[in-house]
Amino acid sequence: MKNIVLSFIVAISLCPMATASDIAISTQANWWSQTAANREMQEIANNVTTVPVTLFTANEQEALADWVADHTGDGVSDLLILCGVFPASIYPGGNAQPDGSLAELFLDDGNCIINTGDWIFYVGTAGNNGVEGLPNIMDISSMDMWDDNTPVTVTAEGQQYTPSLTNFQTYRAIHIDSLEGNWYAELILALAADGNRAEPVILHNSATGGRIGVFFQTYYQDNNPRGEVISEWINNWYLKYVASDNPLARSPNPADSTLITQTWVALSWQAGDLAVSHDVYLGDNFDEVNEGIHESETFRGNQSLTEIYAGFVGYPYPDGLVPGTTYYWRIDGINEADPNSPWKG
């Protein structure tokens, strides 16, 4: 039997947060000067004023580890910024603890780690991790970042959220086609002409809620506007969508591009933080689902429940789903008391 593909149409898929985030910065630099790192990280601390920002020097790695431990399991997405060096206090050097490190627990708890400078997780403070660091943290064995002098062009999202970002050449880009499992590129700020190599970019794990990001992984280019661009990303995107109420439906189950072999399916999702009910769209016509017109046959009604079946009598496609077909679905959050409703999910 041919497989059936389910594709979930999303705007930005984010996790709900209870309170505002805290931010920690490990200022120890690699691939750019310590002087520049101190300057640019202080710029972030100066520009991000609505949440606490704590800077940790190379001599304060144990204090950083305490911060990471304290911010794991607190129900909030907190942010850790690295400057090209992965502190051994949260991930023992030389990949001595490939699983279960403080850093991995922090990430898997729905927090975010971003890096600017050398290849993320490659350089440790007690023996380099090499190419194994990133695969260990992401649990993707083939994940790497080999690139040199790759031109990237600012995307529409890059222009919107990081207006100071301009086209540049990255040395270490994320290869989108290397992502596996629950990882996907959530926000691409600049992209190579091949449509595959992205940087800056935010990766999201839809199962754990964890995020990994890279910004200006360039070789001794101390004049990159790292502080300015990262500050803009924090203020315009991270704090807006991750550290506050998120009205968008998310965590689709089945996940995007899931192949199913039966002729029925149970669809479920996590409600947006402000939604009272949900407009459900489901069909094999992408444009009709994406446009979200109530008069379209892809509109399946409004409901308060966060699940719906298809392929059974009394539900959409009562005669069963058709093998070899791609179906698209989308959930809009509805709250008639909020002028911003509906929220396209």
Side-chain angles (χ1 to χ4, degrees), residues 4-212:
I4 298 167
V5 179
L6 282 166
S7 183
F8 189 61
I9 297 177
V10 297
I12 299 176
S13 181
L14 302 163
C15 293
M17 299 304 152
T19 58
S21 299
D22 286 344
I23 299 174
I25 303 177
S26 176
T27 61
Q28 190 170 11
N30 190 68
W31 257 29
W32 57 313
S33 72
Q34 190 61 57
T35 298
N38 293 342
R39 179 191 69 229
E40 297 299 306
M41 295 306 101
Q42 185 60 53
E43 182 173 0
I44 294 174
N46 293 342
N47 290 341
V48 178
T49 59
T50 58
V51 297
V53 180
T54 305
L55 278 66
F56 296 92
T57 68
N59 296 323
E60 298 173 314
Q61 290 190 8
E62 293 305 320
L64 172 65
D66 291 340
W67 185 97
V68 170
D70 289 343
H71 289 80
T72 301
D74 63 355
V76 178
S77 178
D78 299 298
L79 172 62
L80 172 62
I81 302 174
L82 306 176
C83 291
V85 178
F86 202 13
S89 61
I90 61 173
Y91 184 84
N95 300 294
Q97 189 182 8
D99 293 305
S101 66
L102 273 177
E104 186 174 29
L105 295 175
F106 176 80
L107 183 67
D108 289 347
D109 186 50
N111 297 299
C112 181
I113 303 175
I114 69 169
N115 181 75
T116 181
D118 201 355
W119 179 323
I120 187 171
F121 308 141
Y122 191 109
V123 175
T125 56
N128 279 0
N129 306 309
V131 298
E132 290 83 8
L134 183 60
N136 286 342
I137 292 294
M138 296 186 70
D139 293 320
I140 300 178
S141 60
S142 60
M143 198 70 200
D144 67 50
M145 307 190 72
W146 289 118
D147 266 319
D148 283 306
N149 296 314
T150 300
V152 289
T153 301
V154 179
T155 64
E157 290 79 11
Q159 295 172 11
Q160 177 181 358
Y161 298 116
T162 53
S164 296
L165 180 63
T166 58
N167 301 345
F168 70 104
Q169 291 186 338
T170 176
Y171 280 65
R172 299 290 182 259
I174 290 291
H175 295 209
I176 297 173
D177 61 4
S178 295
L179 298 175
E180 297 177 0
N182 297 303
W183 286 100
Y184 68 97
E186 181 178 37
L187 179 68
I188 299 174
L189 300 175
L191 187 65
D194 62 4
N196 181 48
R197 289 172 290 181
E199 205 262 297
V201 60
I202 302 299
L203 308 178
H204 183 214
N205 187 311
S206 60
T208 67
R211 289 177 173 82
I212 288 175

Side-chain angles (χ1 to χ4, degrees), residues 13 46 75 88 90 92 114 132 187 221 234 250 254 267 288-289 298:
S13 181
N46 293 342
I90 61 173
I114 69 169
E132 290 83 8
L187 179 68
Q221 296 182 23
I234 293 171
R250 57 235 186 229
L267 305 174
E288 288 186 5
V289 175
T298 62

Side-chain angles (χ1 to χ4, degrees), residues 7 9 281-293 296-300 317 325-330:
S7 183
I9 297 177
Y281 298 87
L282 170 65
D284 59 4
N285 185 307
F286 173 86
D287 291 334
E288 288 186 5
V289 175
N290 189 52
E291 291 170 6
I293 300 173
S296 167
E297 64 178 11
T298 62
F299 177 58
R300 306 299 178 173
Y317 299 100
T325 303
T326 297
Y327 292 90
Y328 305 93
W329 62 296
R330 161 183 152 192

